[in-house]
Amino acid sequence: MTEEPLFIFDCHLDLSMNAIEWNRDLKKSVYEIRETEIGMTDKLDRGLGTVALPELRKGKIGLVVATQIARYVERGSLIPGWNSPEIAWGISQAQLAWYRTMEDQGEMVQITNLSQMEAHLALWFDKTIPDKGKPVGYILSLEGADSFVNISYLEKAYGYGLRACGPAHYGPGRYAAGTGRTEGLTAAGKELVAEMDNLNMILDVTHLTDKGFDEATSMYKGPVWASHHNCRKLVDNQRQLTDDQIKVLIERNAVIGGVFDTWMLTDNWVRGKDDPKDRNVHLELIVDHYDHICQLAGNSLNVAIGSDLDGAYGKEQSPYDLEDISDLQKLNGMLKRRGYSAEDIENIFYKNWLRFLRKAWA
Protein backbone atom coordinates (compact mmCIF):
# COMPACT_ATOMS: atom_id res chain seq x y z
CA MET A 1 0.00 0.00 0.00
CA THR A 2 1.42 3.38 -1.01
CA GLU A 3 1.87 5.76 1.90
CA GLU A 4 -0.13 8.97 1.69
CA PRO A 5 2.17 11.93 0.97
CA LEU A 6 2.79 14.46 3.71
CA PHE A 7 2.11 18.16 3.25
CA ILE A 8 5.30 20.08 2.42
CA PHE A 9 6.29 23.72 2.90
CA ASP A 10 9.31 24.59 0.72
CA CYS A 11 10.94 27.85 1.81
CA HIS A 12 12.83 28.70 -1.36
CA LEU A 13 11.77 28.45 -5.01
CA ASP A 14 12.69 30.87 -7.80
CA LEU A 15 9.42 30.33 -9.65
CA SER A 16 9.05 33.71 -11.35
CA MET A 17 12.70 33.78 -12.42
CA ASN A 18 12.12 30.49 -14.23
CA ALA A 19 8.96 31.87 -15.82
CA ILE A 20 10.30 35.28 -16.86
CA GLU A 21 13.99 34.69 -17.58
CA TRP A 22 13.93 31.01 -18.58
CA ASN A 23 10.62 31.52 -20.47
CA ARG A 24 9.02 28.46 -18.86
CA ASP A 25 5.26 28.00 -18.70
CA LEU A 26 5.04 26.56 -15.20
CA LYS A 27 1.38 25.66 -15.65
CA LYS A 28 2.67 22.81 -17.83
CA SER A 29 4.32 19.76 -16.32
CA VAL A 30 8.08 19.51 -15.89
CA TYR A 31 8.13 16.91 -18.66
CA GLU A 32 6.23 19.09 -21.15
CA ILE A 33 8.60 21.97 -20.40
CA ARG A 34 11.60 19.73 -20.99
CA GLU A 35 10.26 18.80 -24.40
CA THR A 36 9.95 22.47 -25.39
CA GLU A 37 13.63 22.99 -24.52
CA ILE A 38 15.09 20.14 -26.56
CA GLY A 39 18.01 21.50 -28.58
CA MET A 40 18.34 24.72 -26.60
CA THR A 41 21.86 25.47 -25.34
CA ASP A 42 21.66 28.99 -23.91
CA LYS A 43 21.60 27.69 -20.32
CA LEU A 44 23.17 24.61 -18.71
CA ASP A 45 19.84 23.37 -17.35
CA ARG A 46 17.81 23.48 -20.58
CA GLY A 47 15.63 20.38 -20.80
CA LEU A 48 16.55 19.46 -17.23
CA GLY A 49 14.10 21.45 -15.06
CA THR A 50 12.51 19.82 -12.03
CA VAL A 51 9.87 22.34 -10.85
CA ALA A 52 6.42 23.22 -12.20
CA LEU A 53 3.00 23.75 -10.65
CA PRO A 54 1.64 20.27 -11.50
CA GLU A 55 4.62 18.61 -9.80
CA LEU A 56 4.25 20.87 -6.76
CA ARG A 57 0.68 19.65 -6.39
CA LYS A 58 1.69 16.04 -7.06
CA GLY A 59 4.26 16.31 -4.26
CA LYS A 60 1.71 17.96 -1.93
CA ILE A 61 3.95 21.02 -1.79
CA GLY A 62 1.08 23.38 -1.10
CA LEU A 63 2.93 26.32 0.42
CA VAL A 64 6.21 27.85 -0.72
CA VAL A 65 8.34 30.91 -0.24
CA ALA A 66 8.64 32.21 -3.80
CA THR A 67 11.21 34.76 -4.78
CA GLN A 68 11.78 37.85 -6.76
CA ILE A 69 15.43 38.03 -7.80
CA ALA A 70 17.21 40.61 -9.97
CA ARG A 71 20.85 41.34 -9.28
CA TYR A 72 22.65 44.54 -10.28
CA VAL A 73 26.25 44.13 -11.44
CA GLU A 74 28.88 46.67 -12.39
CA ARG A 75 30.35 46.67 -15.87
CA GLY A 76 32.96 43.95 -16.35
CA SER A 77 31.56 41.67 -13.65
CA LEU A 78 32.05 37.95 -14.16
CA ILE A 79 28.72 37.38 -12.41
CA PRO A 80 25.60 37.85 -14.59
CA GLY A 81 23.13 40.55 -13.66
CA TRP A 82 21.40 43.76 -14.75
CA ASN A 83 23.17 47.00 -15.65
CA SER A 84 21.34 49.33 -13.26
CA PRO A 85 19.22 49.09 -10.10
CA GLU A 86 16.35 50.58 -12.08
CA ILE A 87 16.49 47.75 -14.63
CA ALA A 88 16.71 45.21 -11.81
CA TRP A 89 13.62 46.76 -10.20
CA GLY A 90 11.80 46.49 -13.53
CA ILE A 91 12.67 42.79 -13.80
CA SER A 92 11.46 42.20 -10.24
CA GLN A 93 8.17 43.85 -11.17
CA ALA A 94 7.81 41.63 -14.23
CA GLN A 95 8.27 38.68 -11.89
CA LEU A 96 5.61 40.09 -9.58
CA ALA A 97 3.26 40.48 -12.55
CA TRP A 98 3.70 36.78 -13.33
CA TYR A 99 2.69 35.83 -9.77
CA ARG A 100 -0.34 38.09 -10.04
CA THR A 101 -1.35 36.42 -13.30
CA MET A 102 -1.03 32.99 -11.68
CA GLU A 103 -3.33 34.25 -8.94
CA ASP A 104 -5.86 35.53 -11.49
CA GLN A 105 -5.95 32.07 -13.04
CA GLY A 106 -6.36 30.25 -9.72
CA GLU A 107 -2.95 28.57 -9.99
CA MET A 108 -1.44 30.33 -6.97
CA VAL A 109 -2.53 32.47 -4.02
CA GLN A 110 -0.41 35.01 -2.13
CA ILE A 111 -0.11 34.65 1.64
CA THR A 112 0.78 37.85 3.53
CA ASN A 113 -0.64 37.28 7.02
CA LEU A 114 -1.65 34.64 9.54
CA SER A 115 -5.36 34.47 8.73
CA GLN A 116 -4.63 33.94 5.03
CA MET A 117 -2.13 31.21 5.88
CA GLU A 118 -4.54 29.37 8.18
CA ALA A 119 -7.30 29.50 5.56
CA HIS A 120 -4.93 28.16 2.92
CA LEU A 121 -3.80 25.33 5.19
CA ALA A 122 -7.42 24.39 5.89
CA LEU A 123 -7.93 24.04 2.14
CA TRP A 124 -4.87 21.87 1.64
CA PHE A 125 -5.71 19.64 4.61
CA ASP A 126 -9.28 19.15 3.33
CA LYS A 127 -9.18 15.61 1.95
CA THR A 128 -12.52 16.01 0.16
CA ILE A 129 -10.89 18.33 -2.41
CA PRO A 130 -8.34 16.81 -4.84
CA ASP A 131 -4.87 18.35 -4.49
CA LYS A 132 -4.63 18.87 -8.25
CA GLY A 133 -7.36 21.51 -8.00
CA LYS A 134 -5.80 23.50 -5.17
CA PRO A 135 -3.77 26.69 -5.68
CA VAL A 136 -0.16 26.71 -4.51
CA GLY A 137 0.22 29.27 -1.74
CA TYR A 138 3.23 31.56 -1.88
CA ILE A 139 4.90 33.94 0.53
CA LEU A 140 6.91 36.54 -1.36
CA SER A 141 10.62 36.99 -0.63
CA LEU A 142 13.34 39.03 -2.30
CA GLU A 143 16.66 37.26 -2.82
CA GLY A 144 19.30 39.97 -2.81
CA ALA A 145 18.18 43.57 -2.29
CA ASP A 146 20.01 45.17 -5.23
CA SER A 147 16.75 45.94 -7.05
CA PHE A 148 15.68 48.40 -4.35
CA VAL A 149 16.65 51.64 -6.11
CA ASN A 150 16.70 53.26 -2.66
CA ILE A 151 15.33 52.42 0.79
CA SER A 152 11.88 53.79 -0.04
CA TYR A 153 11.43 50.85 -2.41
CA LEU A 154 11.38 48.49 0.56
CA GLU A 155 8.10 50.02 1.69
CA LYS A 156 6.73 49.85 -1.87
CA ALA A 157 7.55 46.14 -1.87
CA TYR A 158 6.06 45.59 1.58
CA GLY A 159 2.90 47.21 0.24
CA TYR A 160 2.55 44.61 -2.51
CA GLY A 161 3.15 41.76 -0.08
CA LEU A 162 6.90 41.25 0.29
CA ARG A 163 7.36 39.60 3.69
CA ALA A 164 10.99 38.39 3.68
CA CYS A 165 14.24 39.71 2.26
CA GLY A 166 17.82 38.54 2.03
CA PRO A 167 20.10 41.58 1.58
CA ALA A 168 22.81 39.62 -0.26
CA HIS A 169 23.17 37.22 -3.17
CA TYR A 170 26.42 36.38 -5.01
CA GLY A 171 29.43 38.68 -5.19
CA PRO A 172 29.41 42.40 -4.35
CA GLY A 173 26.06 43.95 -3.53
CA ARG A 174 24.61 47.41 -3.03
CA TYR A 175 23.31 46.50 0.42
CA ALA A 176 25.51 43.57 1.44
CA ALA A 177 28.36 41.51 0.07
CA GLY A 178 27.32 37.97 -0.78
CA THR A 179 28.65 34.51 -1.50
CA GLY A 180 32.29 34.58 -2.56
CA ARG A 181 33.10 37.86 -0.76
CA THR A 182 34.27 38.77 2.73
CA GLU A 183 32.82 42.26 3.28
CA GLY A 184 29.69 42.79 5.37
CA LEU A 185 26.69 45.09 5.17
CA THR A 186 27.13 48.43 3.42
CA ALA A 187 25.92 51.65 5.06
CA ALA A 188 22.77 51.39 2.95
CA GLY A 189 22.47 47.75 4.01
CA LYS A 190 22.44 48.66 7.67
CA GLU A 191 19.73 51.21 6.94
CA LEU A 192 17.79 48.55 5.04
CA VAL A 193 18.02 46.05 7.88
CA ALA A 194 16.84 48.69 10.37
CA GLU A 195 13.83 49.52 8.20
CA MET A 196 13.02 45.82 7.75
CA ASP A 197 12.99 45.58 11.53
CA ASN A 198 10.52 48.49 11.73
CA LEU A 199 8.23 46.63 9.32
CA ASN A 200 8.62 43.31 11.20
CA MET A 201 9.79 41.61 8.02
CA ILE A 202 11.68 38.31 8.03
CA LEU A 203 15.43 38.70 7.62
CA ASP A 204 16.87 35.92 5.45
CA VAL A 205 20.55 35.45 6.29
CA THR A 206 21.13 33.22 3.25
CA HIS A 207 24.10 34.32 1.10
CA LEU A 208 25.47 36.74 3.72
CA THR A 209 29.21 36.60 4.33
CA ASP A 210 30.43 35.61 7.78
CA LYS A 211 30.93 39.28 8.60
CA GLY A 212 27.52 40.19 7.21
CA PHE A 213 25.90 37.38 9.18
CA ASP A 214 27.41 38.66 12.42
CA GLU A 215 26.41 42.25 11.68
CA ALA A 216 22.86 41.43 10.62
CA THR A 217 22.05 39.04 13.47
CA SER A 218 23.54 41.45 16.01
CA MET A 219 21.49 44.47 14.93
CA TYR A 220 18.26 42.76 13.81
CA LYS A 221 15.67 42.21 16.53
CA GLY A 222 12.88 40.69 14.41
CA PRO A 223 12.33 37.20 12.98
CA VAL A 224 15.30 35.58 11.24
CA TRP A 225 15.50 32.49 9.04
CA ALA A 226 17.99 30.85 6.67
CA SER A 227 15.73 29.90 3.78
CA HIS A 228 18.22 27.67 1.92
CA HIS A 229 21.44 26.73 3.66
CA ASN A 230 23.49 23.65 4.50
CA CYS A 231 26.33 22.94 6.94
CA ARG A 232 29.97 23.96 6.51
CA LYS A 233 31.03 21.15 8.83
CA LEU A 234 29.94 18.64 6.17
CA VAL A 235 30.78 20.55 2.97
CA ASP A 236 33.51 23.12 3.49
CA ASN A 237 32.67 26.25 1.56
CA GLN A 238 31.75 29.79 2.56
CA ARG A 239 28.18 29.43 1.24
CA GLN A 240 27.45 27.05 4.15
CA LEU A 241 26.67 27.81 7.78
CA THR A 242 29.32 27.18 10.42
CA ASP A 243 28.32 25.35 13.60
CA ASP A 244 28.63 28.63 15.51
CA GLN A 245 26.26 30.33 13.07
CA ILE A 246 23.81 27.43 13.36
CA LYS A 247 23.91 27.82 17.15
CA VAL A 248 23.16 31.54 16.82
CA LEU A 249 20.14 30.70 14.67
CA ILE A 250 18.98 28.02 17.11
CA GLU A 251 19.16 30.58 19.95
CA ARG A 252 17.02 32.92 17.82
CA ASN A 253 14.42 30.16 17.26
CA ALA A 254 15.22 30.40 13.57
CA VAL A 255 14.63 27.67 11.01
CA ILE A 256 17.19 26.55 8.41
CA GLY A 257 16.00 25.21 5.06
CA GLY A 258 18.18 22.44 3.66
CA VAL A 259 19.16 23.10 0.03
CA PHE A 260 19.46 20.55 -2.80
CA ASP A 261 22.11 22.11 -5.06
CA THR A 262 24.89 19.53 -5.47
CA TRP A 263 27.73 21.98 -4.88
CA MET A 264 26.38 22.36 -1.35
CA LEU A 265 26.17 18.58 -0.88
CA THR A 266 29.70 17.56 -1.89
CA ASP A 267 33.14 19.16 -1.85
CA ASN A 268 34.84 20.62 -4.93
CA TRP A 269 31.87 20.39 -7.32
CA VAL A 270 32.73 21.72 -10.79
CA ARG A 271 29.70 23.34 -12.43
CA GLY A 272 29.03 22.20 -15.98
CA LYS A 273 31.52 19.34 -15.72
CA ASP A 274 30.64 17.11 -12.77
CA ASP A 275 27.72 14.68 -12.90
CA PRO A 276 25.56 13.90 -9.81
CA LYS A 277 25.62 10.15 -10.48
CA ASP A 278 29.38 10.04 -11.03
CA ARG A 279 29.93 12.08 -7.86
CA ASN A 280 27.40 9.92 -5.94
CA VAL A 281 25.30 12.91 -4.87
CA HIS A 282 21.96 11.56 -3.66
CA LEU A 283 19.10 12.67 -1.39
CA GLU A 284 20.53 10.93 1.69
CA LEU A 285 23.25 13.61 1.75
CA ILE A 286 20.60 16.23 2.49
CA VAL A 287 19.44 14.14 5.43
CA ASP A 288 23.04 14.24 6.71
CA HIS A 289 22.78 18.04 6.89
CA TYR A 290 19.36 17.88 8.55
CA ASP A 291 20.72 15.42 11.09
CA HIS A 292 23.77 17.57 11.84
CA ILE A 293 21.57 20.55 12.68
CA CYS A 294 19.23 18.39 14.76
CA GLN A 295 22.19 17.02 16.74
CA LEU A 296 23.41 20.57 17.46
CA ALA A 297 19.91 21.63 18.53
CA GLY A 298 19.06 18.46 20.43
CA ASN A 299 15.70 18.30 18.63
CA SER A 300 14.06 18.64 15.21
CA LEU A 301 12.71 22.19 15.61
CA ASN A 302 15.23 24.21 13.61
CA VAL A 303 15.53 22.48 10.25
CA ALA A 304 13.16 22.19 7.31
CA ILE A 305 13.04 22.24 3.50
CA GLY A 306 14.34 25.12 1.39
CA SER A 307 15.08 23.16 -1.74
CA ASP A 308 16.16 25.91 -4.19
CA LEU A 309 15.42 23.41 -6.96
CA ASP A 310 15.67 25.02 -10.41
CA GLY A 311 17.60 27.88 -8.84
CA ALA A 312 19.51 28.41 -12.12
CA TYR A 313 20.27 24.69 -12.26
CA GLY A 314 18.30 21.52 -12.99
CA LYS A 315 18.84 17.76 -12.92
CA GLU A 316 22.45 18.27 -13.98
CA GLN A 317 23.12 19.74 -10.52
CA SER A 318 20.51 18.00 -8.34
CA PRO A 319 20.70 14.68 -6.45
CA TYR A 320 20.61 11.89 -9.03
CA ASP A 321 17.65 10.15 -7.34
CA LEU A 322 15.43 13.23 -7.75
CA GLU A 323 13.53 13.33 -11.04
CA ASP A 324 11.25 16.25 -10.16
CA ILE A 325 10.28 18.22 -7.08
CA SER A 326 7.54 15.76 -6.09
CA ASP A 327 10.39 13.43 -5.09
CA LEU A 328 10.83 15.51 -1.93
CA GLN A 329 8.39 12.95 -0.52
CA LYS A 330 11.27 10.42 -0.58
CA LEU A 331 12.74 12.22 2.43
CA ASN A 332 9.98 10.71 4.59
CA GLY A 333 11.31 7.17 4.32
CA MET A 334 14.93 8.31 4.58
CA LEU A 335 14.26 10.17 7.84
CA LYS A 336 12.33 7.19 9.24
CA ARG A 337 15.28 4.92 8.54
CA ARG A 338 17.48 7.36 10.48
CA GLY A 339 15.21 6.95 13.50
CA TYR A 340 13.21 10.16 13.16
CA SER A 341 9.70 9.97 14.58
CA ALA A 342 6.51 10.89 12.72
CA GLU A 343 6.44 14.14 14.71
CA ASP A 344 10.05 14.93 13.76
CA ILE A 345 9.31 14.34 10.09
CA GLU A 346 6.25 16.56 10.17
CA ASN A 347 8.38 19.24 11.81
CA ILE A 348 10.90 19.06 8.97
CA PHE A 349 8.28 18.81 6.20
CA TYR A 350 6.15 21.76 7.28
CA LYS A 351 5.49 22.34 10.98
CA ASN A 352 8.70 24.21 11.75
CA TRP A 353 8.04 26.84 9.09
CA LEU A 354 4.42 27.15 10.25
CA ARG A 355 5.46 27.51 13.88
CA PHE A 356 7.97 30.18 12.88
CA LEU A 357 5.41 32.19 10.92
CA ARG A 358 2.69 31.87 13.55
CA LYS A 359 5.08 33.49 16.01
CA ALA A 360 6.50 36.06 13.57
CA TRP A 361 3.07 37.16 12.34
CA ALA A 362 1.22 36.97 15.66
Side-chain angles (χ1 to χ4, degrees):
M1 184 176 177
T2 304
E3 190 172 21
E4 184 177 351
L6 286 175
F7 183 80
I8 291 177
F9 183 150
D10 188 335
C11 196
H12 191 84
L13 289 174
D14 297 316
L15 298 178
S16 65
M17 182 193 76
N18 275 269
I20 298 299
E21 294 187 50
W22 268 245
N23 196 19
R24 288 172 170 166
D25 181 359
L26 299 185
K27 294 194 301 179
K28 295 179 179 177
S29 76
V30 160
Y31 304 94
E32 289 178 284
I33 295 169
R34 288 180 189 171
E35 286 184 10
T36 69
E37 296 182 352
I38 292 172
M40 296 177 69
T41 59
D42 60 317
K43 298 179 186 293
L44 285 173
D45 58 333
R46 284 301 186 192
L48 297 169
T50 65
V51 180
L53 291 165
E55 281 69 35
L56 287 171
R57 296 188 184 96
K58 178 184 175 184
K60 213 175 182 70
I61 305 159
L63 185 55
V64 304
V65 173
T67 67
Q68 294 170 286
I69 176 171
R71 182 174 52 228
Y72 160 71
V73 296
E74 295 183 350
R75 187 174 180 180
S77 172
L78 297 177
I79 299 172
W82 304 100
N83 291 333
S84 75
E86 292 81 4
I87 297 171
W89 173 259
I91 295 297
S92 76
Q93 297 311 289
Q95 293 170 353
L96 177 65
W98 180 82
Y99 288 124
R100 292 287 188 251
T101 307
M102 291 301 99
E103 291 180 69
D104 289 345
Q105 297 185 10
E107 296 283 344
M108 300 181 73
V109 61
Q110 188 177 20
I111 308 297
T112 63
N113 58 49
L114 200 54
S115 62
Q116 290 174 349
M117 187 177 82
E118 300 297 0
H120 183 70
L121 292 170
L123 173 65
W124 267 89
F125 280 88
D126 185 344
K127 295 183 179 180
T128 67
I129 303 172
D131 289 348
K132 65 180 181 181
K134 297 171 183 176
V136 173
Y138 76 99
I139 296 161
L140 194 61
S141 179
L142 182 67
E143 185 173 19
D146 281 1
S147 58
F148 289 148
V149 178
N150 56 53
I151 298 296
S152 74
Y153 282 70
L154 174 66
E155 291 196 15
K156 296 180 199 296
Y158 185 84
Y160 62 64
L162 188 74
R163 291 295 177 264
C165 177
H169 195 224
Y170 282 90
R174 298 177 61 234
Y175 294 94
T179 300
R181 306 287 290 195
T182 58
E183 308 94 327
L185 299 175
T186 66
K190 291 175 182 177
E191 186 182 353
L192 175 77
V193 168
E195 186 56 25
M196 285 177 59
D197 221 343
N198 291 335
L199 293 169
N200 194 43
M201 292 180 70
I202 297 160
L203 172 67
D204 190 349
V205 299
T206 306
H207 284 293
L208 286 171
T209 63
D210 291 350
K211 181 179 180 182
F213 179 96
D214 290 343
E215 290 173 338
T217 53
S218 294
M219 68 180 292
Y220 201 73
K221 306 306 179 187
V224 175
W225 68 24
S227 64
H228 56 303
H229 250 309
N230 288 343
C231 308
R232 202 177 301 184
K233 186 81 170 180
L234 302 184
V235 177
D236 188 14
N237 67 58
Q238 179 248 11
R239 172 65 176 81
Q240 315 276 60
L241 292 167
T242 68
D243 282 4
D244 285 343
Q245 289 171 335
I246 292 168
K247 290 173 184 175
V248 168
L249 293 172
I250 291 168
E251 290 170 5
R252 294 286 293 262
N253 295 312
V255 180
I256 301 161
V259 60
F260 287 56
D261 193 334
T262 51
W263 87 281
M264 287 180 270
L265 293 170
T266 190
D267 286 310
N268 304 313
W269 178 269
V270 180
R271 179 170 171 80
K273 179 182 176 182
D274 285 355
D275 176 82
K277 185 73 172 177
D278 293 342
R279 292 293 307 271
N280 197 31
V281 180
H282 45 80
L283 287 168
E284 287 279 359
L285 296 179
I286 292 159
V287 181
D288 291 343
H289 288 266
Y290 290 164
D291 188 62
H292 183 72
I293 296 168
C294 289
Q295 298 305 322
L296 288 174
N299 56 54
S300 63
L301 299 178
N302 299 97
V303 66
I305 295 170
S307 74
D308 195 24
L309 288 169
D310 287 4
Y313 66 95
K315 273 181 59 63
E316 86 290 351
Q317 200 164 303
S318 302
Y320 69 77
D321 49 347
L322 183 141
E323 187 61 38
D324 65 59
I325 195 168
S326 68
D327 285 333
L328 293 184
Q329 291 290 340
K330 291 181 178 180
L331 296 173
N332 189 351
M334 294 175 182
L335 287 161
K336 281 181 182 175
R337 290 190 290 274
R338 299 283 187 106
Y340 283 79
S341 68
E343 182 180 1
D344 291 328
I345 296 168
E346 288 181 348
N347 283 340
I348 293 168
F349 271 46
Y350 68 97
K351 285 186 175 178
N352 285 340
W353 291 129
L354 297 184
R355 189 179 299 111
F356 178 97
L357 286 167
R358 283 170 177 148
K359 182 178 180 181
W361 286 352

